[in-house]
Amino acid sequence: MRLFEYQGKELFSKYGIRVPRSKLAGDESQALSAVEEIGLPAVIKAQVLSGGRGKAGGVVLVRTKDEAKREARRVLGLRVGGEHTRALLVEEASEHTQEMYLSVSLNRGRREFVALASRSGGTEVESLAKGAMVEVPVPLEGLTDDDSYTLSTKVGLYGRTSSEFRSILLKLERLSREEECELAEINPLAVRFDGSLVALDSKVVLDDNALFRHPEFSQLPPEDPLEGEAAKFGFAFVRLDGDVAVVGNGAGLVLSTLDLVSDFGGRAACFLDLGGGAQRDRVEAALRLVRGLPNARVILVNIFGGITRTTDVAEGLKGVLSEAPMALVFARISGAEEEEARALLSGAGVAVFRTPQEAALAAVKAVSR
Ligand code: GDP
Ligand code: MN
């Protein structure tokens, strides 16, 4: 099981490995108060389990409050490798001169643990020249001071950097043994102007077979409640950062509706595909879900009734509209029983159109007013 960066850093701290001051934030306002507390400049980091976060724009330095606000919002809406940002880690920015790599990992082929290090780490670590990465095997009883000295010398460190490196290596190795990790990685391990070291990132993978001995890790931070709701109904749902919530049946139809919204100069607040055969209860669930999107100002429903009976959709729309006030709804409904569906919706607070173009245009116009 892979831990989030912030969980890995909590472990680092527990074992005495220096990490920057940081605070976890679940939403934009928490992020802003975290920035107040940490101070500027700060680094805002998406908490995701996928790799390549930095390159995907999930790690960003902010210098002003305005920038922090804008970037917190952007990173919260970001997806890295298909995974949405679960939370933000707001961290003090660490000035440094060099980025190294250090890890302790299980080498299954050799049936042993190995410590790997390189003078140059960071986001380009995969493309390091051959030989840049040096290693020492980790004995089952643990690394000795001599082993740590060997690795530090191979990396070519001296002075304060070497002594801190050796101490971090021994702590990381003890962490990986005691917490039963397949991988405990620090990349980058940053070298500061005074030669001291700080762990700017963590990647910790626990051995699943040993997880029962570490119940403290079984709880992941809560998912986005809306995504949880979407998953319950089997909707394909993606949060976006615009203000037109798009709901439809069929992934292709929803995607083309997003295109229409953007062609007309609007921005979608979400992608929600009900799937084929959308029944009344599913339509209702989808509308309640998008009603909970804080940034959505209108809802654009695009339903083509092939398998779906459009009267079902209309009943669903009407039902939800009668429960609570909702952002303006613009619907394109066509297909089986469409005349009956239109009749059902007359006077229900839904603007109904015959073509997706008309509905999308009306929705975009409504938010640009
Ligand atoms: P990854 O892409 O998920 O591995 O993200 P990292 O946490 O490793 O960050 C990517 C890059 O952002 C690092 O290699 C650093 O160059 C930079 N970075 C991360 N944290 C800081 C920080 O506190 N200060 C500065 N100056 N750069 C940082
Ligand atoms: Mn990294």
Side-chain angles (χ1 to χ4, degrees):
M1 180 175 99
R2 172 143 185 208
L3 299 183
F4 286 98
E5 175 191 15
Y6 81 91
Q7 293 174 307
K9 282 180 165 167
E10 281 169 11
L11 277 184
F12 288 176
S13 291
K14 180 173 154 196
Y15 283 82
I17 298 170
R18 186 187 296 122
V19 295
R21 276 191 312 124
S22 67
K23 216 170 146 54
L24 193 67
D27 59 30
E28 197 181 314
S29 78
Q30 283 176 11
L32 292 179
S33 38
V35 169
E36 292 272 339
E37 194 177 318
I38 297 294
L40 289 163
V43 180
I44 292 181
K45 309 178 86 174
Q47 297 301 287
V48 288
L49 299 176
S50 311
R53 170 183 65 161
K55 287 184 179 168
V59 177
V60 57
L61 183 79
V62 295
R63 292 184 181 78
T64 65
K65 277 190 193 172
D66 277 351
E67 220 179 349
K69 193 176 159 101
R70 187 158 24 105
E71 292 297 328
R73 171 173 286 215
R74 181 185 62 79
V75 177
L76 276 167
L78 193 71
R79 284 178 94 85
V80 179
E83 182 189 357
H84 71 88
T85 298
R86 310 284 186 92
L88 299 178
L89 190 66
V90 177
E91 210 167 63
E92 69 179 331
S94 309
E95 278 201 67
H96 55 280
T97 54
Q98 195 185 331
E99 301 192 342
M100 302 205 304
Y101 175 95
L102 177 64
S103 71
V104 173
S105 61
L106 174 63
N107 183 324
R108 290 193 189 276
R110 296 210 314 238
R111 297 185 169 206
E112 66 179 15
F113 281 87
V114 58
L116 285 171
S118 161
R119 271 180 92 90
S120 42
T123 51
E124 300 298 334
V125 73
E126 274 88 7
S127 50
L128 275 185
K130 223 178 154 198
M133 197 63 88
V134 294
E135 63 176 75
V136 291
V138 177
L140 279 180
E141 326 65 80
L143 283 175
T144 61
D145 281 343
D146 279 357
D147 296 325
S148 76
Y149 197 81
T150 305
L151 192 63
S152 172
T153 307
K154 278 191 176 181
V155 178
L157 304 178
Y158 52 87
R160 178 171 185 178
T161 307
S162 169
S163 65
E164 292 207 6
F165 176 86
R166 284 179 280 143
S167 143
I168 292 174
L169 170 61
L170 294 176
K171 290 165 177 166
L172 193 67
E173 188 271 328
R174 192 164 68 82
L175 180 159
S176 92
R177 198 158 17 98
E178 291 181 1
E179 308 291 339
E180 305 188 86
C181 303
E182 288 179 358
L183 170 71
E185 177 188 276
I186 308 176
N187 183 34
L189 176 60
V191 186
R192 299 191 287 196
F193 294 101
D194 59 3
S196 65
L197 297 175
V198 57
L200 291 193
D201 191 11
S202 82
K203 182 172 176 185
V204 174
V205 180
L206 303 173
D207 180 349
D208 288 341
N209 298 307
L211 263 185
F212 69 97
R213 281 194 286 259
H214 306 277
E216 68 278 17
F217 295 122
S218 62
Q219 270 161 337
L220 285 183
E223 277 264 4
D224 174 347
L226 293 185
E227 295 232 352
E229 201 54 22
K232 221 160 65 189
F233 288 91
F235 299 149
F237 174 69
V238 181
R239 268 188 196 246
L240 300 166
D241 52 12
D243 43 20
V244 181
V246 178
V247 177
N249 61 332
L253 187 72
V254 182
L255 272 180
S256 65
T257 313
L258 293 189
D259 286 346
L260 283 175
V261 168
S262 103
D263 287 349
F264 289 130
R267 285 160 56 86
C270 73
F271 168 109
L272 192 155
D273 173 18
L274 290 160
Q279 303 303 316
R280 175 181 173 158
D281 55 338
R282 291 172 62 76
V283 173
E284 290 182 347
L287 291 170
R288 288 195 194 103
L289 197 154
V290 298
R291 188 167 62 190
L293 280 170
N295 46 318
R297 290 171 54 213
V298 304
I299 299 171
L300 173 58
V301 181
N302 187 359
I303 299 287
F304 180 78
I307 319 171
T308 306
R309 289 183 340 140
T310 58
T311 40
D312 269 353
V313 174
E315 297 274 11
L317 268 169
K318 235 178 127 167
V320 174
L321 277 171
S322 65
E323 283 169 14
M326 190 154 73
L328 299 168
V329 181
F330 295 87
R332 172 264 184 153
I333 294 182
S334 74
E337 303 180 359
E338 65 178 78
E339 292 311 326
E340 294 90 325
R342 283 212 186 86
L344 271 169
L345 286 173
S346 71
V350 184
V352 187
F353 299 88
R354 272 172 214 278
T355 69
Q357 286 81 356
E358 290 167 308
L361 183 60
V364 171
K365 273 189 177 159
V367 286
S368 51
R369 271 204 291 271

